[in-house]
Structures are given as structure tokens and as C-alpha cells.
């Protein structure tokens, strides 16, 4: 018979990474690439193969690679035998082809980067401004800067400055934070850095249930399957959107204080810049918290580590419909003639508009004596080297 295999890769220094699931095959081909930063070359990197199942993943075998056994900068392209976990079982479970390359980088001690750090962290952020203007790799630079400033306890100051400058340069509120600038990338990366557990706890259970149940929901008449019940599809979508929004609206206390501090500053900045546009205080925050965080995760659960694989076609369509509704709600906007079939969800948007505004106001408030919370460990020497 066939299986639905995927591979989970584990290293001691980073979160596990997974391939997609290869459906109904005995000869899977992934052709996916992964990069790991390793501080201890004697610690093994484990490749675990599983069969994906709704009742629990079944272990198929593993390969162990010790980086110090590889030759520096030399590509290894071989088949490796899959083994059982226990030493007692030496059964051959098949083979997996891996292409491996180990590149060694000599990272000097942190003290050697003192001058660089002083330059980057100057109070007027002159170097940051220049980097944003010249770099073509804004996401990579944003990731490095976010990690450095987070380690130094100045992430809030960086993000507040960047958003303030971008708001100050904006003429119209309608295009605020719509581009992929260094500012938007830094806020995106920071939300992923400190908000992963928050995201998993808030919408993770709903995503996992949709993956499991695989509802077949469609509102577009041209895409409805013969015999499909349009009213039941509408009811099912309303119920799913209600559950997702309830979890989000009730999640204020779980939102990391680092995110709430940024949203607090953001609301104040846009209110001062656009005093005659009261809705802007909501759409500015929603542009990050919903468009770039919640809705992005709903559309791409694997990219946000909520699901082990990309969604199947039916699941992807359901998630897309939910994301459309939630995003329109966050934009304080009804569906119009562009997507007439989605107008059926306008009553849901109208009903939840006040709840959305209350949520954004609450999540943009910093409680007295709030603890900034913990952050994932960051190897500062590596970030300085990459910069």
C-alpha cells in the first residue's frame, strides 16, 4: 500500500522543521531546502520520517547526521538508510536521499562587535534609516535588527521610531503601511518573534480542527459543486468565522506586552497625524495585527508553524474564505461588487464591528505594571556577523 510521508528535521539549536506531506506514495519526492545554524558540531541532526494520519503520525524511520563528520563546504548527495529508534531493532525501513552541505563560519567574540553595535544602536537611528534606503533584502535586515534590538531590550524603541517616521512621511492614511518597507518588515518579524505562542493558542485549535474535518465550503455560485447546499455553506462559514473571531476578541490578556506597546504607540501616532480620521486608529493597528499576523497565519498555517503541512485544496479554500471575512472586518469594510457572493457575510461584519474596535483599543493599552514577558534565546554574535 501507499503512505502519506513527511520528514521532520530536528537540531538542538532550533525549532523542528518539516517538509510537506507527500500524498499516497511509496516514492516521495520533496525537493525542499532547509538551513540550520549549529553551535555544536558534535550534536546530531535528526531526520524523522512519519506517515501523516488524523489519528496520530506513525513513525517510519530515522537518519542521524553528525555535522562534524561532514567535510567543510563539500556537498554530500547520498542515500541514507532509515532505521528504527531503538538499537534492538536494526530493520531496514527503506532509504532517503539527502543533499547535505556543511559550511563553517568563524564567528568572533561579541566584544569585537562593540563598535558595530554602538553604531547601529545610536539614539537617532541614523544607520537604521540608511540601511532601509539602500538594502534590497529588507526582510533579512529586519530579522537581524529585530533580534539585535530585542536582545538589547530596545525593540520597542526601534519599532516606535520606525513607525513614527513612516507615519510622518505619509500624506494619505489609505496607503499607510501598505508597502513592504523596512518598518513593516521589522514589525512583522517582531510579531513572529514574540507572538508565536499567542498565535498558536488563539487560532491554532481552529486551524487544526479545519485540517482534521476538511469542510467543503463555497459561496461562489460558479464554484459550487452540483448538489451542494449553498445555505449550509453560508451557515458553516458564519459559524467558523464566529469561532475564530471570538477567540481573537477574547485574547487580549494573552497578547504579548511587546506587541501591545507597539500598538499603543501606533494608535497615538496615527491619531496625531490624522486627527480628522477617527477610524485610522483602528485600521493602522489592524493592518499589522490582522493583515500581517492573524490573516496571514490563517492563509499560510505551515509558514507560521501552526500546521505541519500546507492545506489541501478544500481546506485552503475554507481558510481563504475565513481570512477574507476577518480581513474585511479588520478593514471596517463591507464586501462590495468586486465579490458579490461575499456580500452574504456583510451582516456578520456589521454585527462584529464594535467588538473589533473594542478589541483593538484593549490590545493597544498597556496595563499598569505590565511585565514585558520572555523572548526566545538569540545568538547575538551570529546576528552581528550576519549584519
Amino acid at each position: 500500500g501507499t503512505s502519506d510521508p513527511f520528514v521532520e528535521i530536528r537540531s538542538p539549536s532550533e525549532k523542528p522543521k518539516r517538509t510537506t506531506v507527500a500524498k499516497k506514495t511509496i516514492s516521495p519526492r520533496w525537493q525542499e531546502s532547509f538551513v540550520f545554524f549549529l553551535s555544536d558540531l558534535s550534536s546530531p541532526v535528526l531526520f524523522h520520517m512519519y506517515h501523516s494520519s488524523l489519528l496520530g503520525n506513525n513513525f517510519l524511520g530515522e537518519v542521524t547526521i553528525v555535522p562534524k563528520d561532514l567535510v567543510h563546504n563539500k556537498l554530500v548527495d547520498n542515500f541514507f538508510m532509515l532505521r528504527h529508534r531503538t538499537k534492538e531493532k536494526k530493520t531496514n525501513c527503506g532509504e532517503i536521499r539527502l543533499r547535505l552541505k556543511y559550511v563553517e563560519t568563524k564567528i568572533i567574540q561579541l566584544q569585537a562587535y562593540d563598535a558595530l553595535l554602538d553604531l547601529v544602536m545610536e539614539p537617532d537611528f541614523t544607520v537604521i534609516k540608511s540601511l532601509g534606503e539602500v538594502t534590497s533584502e529588507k526582510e533579512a535586515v529586519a530579522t537581524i535588527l529585530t533580534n539585535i534590538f530585542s536582545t538589547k531590550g530596545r525593540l520597542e524603541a526601534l519599532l516606535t521610531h520606525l513607525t513614527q517616521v513612516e507615519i510622518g512621511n505619509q500624506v494619505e492614511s489609505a496607503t499607510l503601511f501598505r508597502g513592504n518597507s523596512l518598518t513593516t518588515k521589522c514589525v512583522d518579524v517582531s510579531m513572529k518573534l514574540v507572538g508565536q505562542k499567542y498565535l498558536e493558542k488563539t487560532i491554532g485549535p481552529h486551524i487544526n480542527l479545519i485540517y482534521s474535518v476538511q469542510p467543503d465550503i463555497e459561496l461562489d455560485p460558479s464554484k459550487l459543486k452540483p448538489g451542494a447546499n449553498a445555505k449550509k455553506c453560508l451557515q458553516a462559514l458564519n459559524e467558523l468565522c464566529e469561532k475564530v473571531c471570538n477567540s481573537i476578541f477574547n485574547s487580549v490578556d494573552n497578547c504579548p506586552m511587546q506587541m501591545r506597546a507597539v500598538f499603543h504607540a501606533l494608535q497615538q501616532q496615527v491619531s496625531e497625524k490624522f486627527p480628522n480620521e477617527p477610524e485610522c486608529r483602528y485600521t493602522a493597528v489592524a493592518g499589522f495585527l490582522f493583515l500581517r499576523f492573524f490573516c496571514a497565519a490563517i492563509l499560510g498555517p505551515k509558514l507560521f508553524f501552526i500546521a505541519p503541512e500546507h492545506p489541501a485544496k478544500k481546506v485552503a479554500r475554507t481558510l481563504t474564505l475565513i481570512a477574507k471575512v476577518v480581513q474585511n472586518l479588520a478593514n471596517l469594510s463591507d464586501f462590495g461588487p468586486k465579490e458579490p457572493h461575499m456580500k452574504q457575510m456583510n451582516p456578520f461584519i456589521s454585527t462584529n464591528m464594535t467588538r473589533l474596535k473594542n478589541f483593538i483599543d484593549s490590545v493597544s493599552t498597556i496595563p499598569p505594571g505590565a511585565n514585558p514577558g520572555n523572548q526566545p534565546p538569540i545568538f547575538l554574535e551570529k546576528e552581528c556577523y550576519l549584519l
Side-chain angles (χ1 to χ4, degrees):
T2 60
S3 63
D4 299 334
F6 69 91
V7 177
E8 182 178 80
I9 311 163
R10 292 180 170 270
S11 88
S13 55
E14 295 188 40
K15 288 183 177 180
K17 300 179 181 181
R18 291 184 175 185
T19 67
T20 55
V21 174
K23 296 290 187 179
K24 298 180 180 179
T25 180
I26 58 172
S27 300
R29 292 172 61 90
W30 288 285
Q31 295 181 311
E32 298 180 34
S33 299
F34 300 90
V35 177
F36 289 88
F37 290 94
L38 307 170
S39 56
D40 182 3
L41 301 182
S42 61
S43 297
V45 177
L46 304 177
F47 295 78
H48 291 167
M49 184 180 289
Y50 296 92
H51 164 66
S52 178
S53 171
L54 296 178
L55 300 178
N57 299 322
N58 301 319
F59 180 73
L60 299 178
E62 72 175 8
V63 171
T64 301
I65 301 294
V66 180
K68 70 176 182 178
D69 295 339
L70 302 175
V71 178
H72 169 60
N73 213 30
K74 182 179 179 180
L75 179 66
V76 175
D77 188 347
N78 284 330
F79 284 90
F80 294 83
M81 190 173 294
L82 290 162
R83 300 285 192 182
H84 281 285
R85 283 197 180 101
T86 59
K87 294 181 179 179
E88 292 76 14
K89 294 184 177 181
K90 298 290 185 179
T91 309
N92 180 0
C93 303
E95 293 181 326
I96 182 172
R97 183 182 179 183
L98 301 174
R99 296 182 55 157
L100 306 165
K101 190 174 184 180
Y102 154 60
V103 178
E104 185 174 302
T105 302
K106 299 294 185 181
I107 298 178
I108 57 181
Q109 292 184 341
L110 186 59
Q111 292 87 337
Y113 295 107
D114 284 347
L116 174 63
L117 287 172
D118 290 341
L119 188 64
V120 170
M121 304 193 73
E122 287 182 346
D124 60 0
F125 298 98
T126 302
V127 173
I128 306 298
K129 180 178 181 294
S130 299
L131 274 173
E133 292 173 348
V134 302
T135 184
S136 60
E137 300 181 16
K138 287 185 171 59
E139 186 163 359
V141 171
T143 300
I144 295 168
L145 292 177
T146 299
N147 287 335
I148 290 175
F149 276 79
S150 178
T151 302
K152 292 293 186 178
R154 293 192 58 200
L155 181 58
E156 181 184 340
L158 171 68
L159 299 179
T160 299
H161 171 79
L162 290 175
T163 54
Q164 187 170 27
V165 170
E166 187 151 331
I167 291 169
N169 294 333
Q170 200 72 33
V171 177
E172 297 180 357
S173 64
T175 56
L176 189 61
F177 301 125
R178 293 301 180 185
N180 287 320
S181 63
L182 184 62
T183 299
T184 57
K185 289 296 184 183
C186 280
V187 178
D188 289 352
V189 172
S190 70
M191 289 192 296
K192 289 183 180 179
L193 177 67
V194 303
Q196 181 63 39
K197 290 184 178 179
Y198 170 54
L199 189 66
E200 292 173 358
K201 186 173 183 179
T202 305
I203 66 171
H206 303 295
I207 300 294
N208 292 329
L209 184 61
I210 292 170
Y211 264 70
S212 177
V213 177
Q214 298 190 12
D216 194 356
I217 298 176
E218 184 55 73
L219 298 189
D220 189 343
S222 66
K223 296 180 180 179
L224 271 174
K225 294 179 180 179
N229 190 316
K231 289 185 177 180
K232 286 187 176 180
C233 285
L234 178 61
Q235 180 182 355
L237 182 59
N238 265 285
E239 291 175 356
L240 287 174
C241 289
E242 184 72 25
K243 290 176 181 177
V244 170
C245 287
N246 281 342
S247 292
I248 293 174
F249 296 158
N250 294 327
S251 70
V252 173
D253 292 339
N254 295 324
C255 184
M257 288 301 160
Q258 298 98 317
M259 292 173 61
R260 296 180 67 170
V262 174
F263 300 150
H264 175 71
L266 192 57
Q267 271 203 332
Q268 290 183 324
Q269 292 164 358
V270 295
S271 295
E272 292 173 5
K273 176 68 176 181
F274 304 104
N276 298 323
E277 301 181 44
E279 303 295 339
C280 193
R281 62 183 281 113
Y282 302 110
T283 55
V285 174
F288 285 113
L289 185 55
F290 284 86
L291 176 63
R292 298 173 178 271
F293 191 62
F294 284 128
C295 290
I298 292 171
L299 288 170
K302 184 177 187 292
L303 301 177
F304 283 77
F305 306 103
I306 296 177
E309 60 191 84
H310 293 298
K313 187 176 181 180
K314 286 195 302 183
V315 172
R317 181 57 179 165
T318 297
L319 295 177
T320 297
L321 291 171
I322 294 172
K324 282 176 178 288
V325 175
V326 175
Q327 188 56 55
N328 267 52
L329 173 60
N331 290 340
L332 309 180
S333 174
D334 286 338
F335 288 101
K338 186 177 179 180
E339 293 182 292
H341 57 277
M342 295 300 295
K343 288 183 178 180
Q344 302 172 86
M345 294 303 297
N346 284 345
F348 176 87
I349 292 174
S350 300
T351 300
N352 286 279
M353 196 79 75
T354 300
R355 295 182 68 202
L356 172 86
K357 291 180 178 180
N358 291 338
F359 166 71
I360 291 178
D361 279 335
S362 297
V363 86
S364 302
T365 303
I366 307 173
N371 189 321
N374 298 323
Q375 65 178 34
I378 294 170
F379 186 22
L380 189 55
E381 290 91 337
K382 184 196 79 175
E383 303 300 331
C384 291
Y385 166 79
L386 292 174
L387 184 62

